[in-house]
Amino acid sequence: MQIPEEAEMRAVLTHALEAWLSASGLTQTAAAAVLGTTQARVSEIKHGKTGQFSLDLLVRLAARAGLQPRISITAS
């Protein structure tokens, strides 16, 4: 079961990757080469279907896209 904070992190990373794909102008095949993944995985990202992606994979893909993912922790 996914905690709300993890769901939020996934959503932010997925949105950033979707935006990068749109702005890059790359084909899905070319984007896959940049990201070190398959065209099918890029298609899943493009359509927001990243539910089966691990959080660490989303972070790695964002880093490969040059998005510089960071984490911030605050006490409640």
Side-chain angles (χ1 to χ4, degrees), residues 28-57:
Q28 289 184 9
T29 302
V34 171
L35 298 176
T37 192
T38 65
Q39 178 275 325
R41 292 296 242 179
V42 171
S43 178
E44 291 173 337
I45 293 166
K46 183 177 179 179
H47 295 97
K49 298 180 179 180
T50 57
Q52 297 301 312
F53 287 46
S54 66
L55 187 56
D56 61 317
L57 175 59

Side-chain angles (χ1 to χ4, degrees), residues 1-12 51 53 55 58 71-73:
M1 184 172 176
Q2 185 170 232
I3 61 171
E5 293 83 1
E6 183 178 345
E8 182 179 351
M9 287 182 224
R10 289 173 156 293
V12 169
F53 287 46
L55 187 56
L58 290 170
I71 188 170
S72 174
I73 300 175

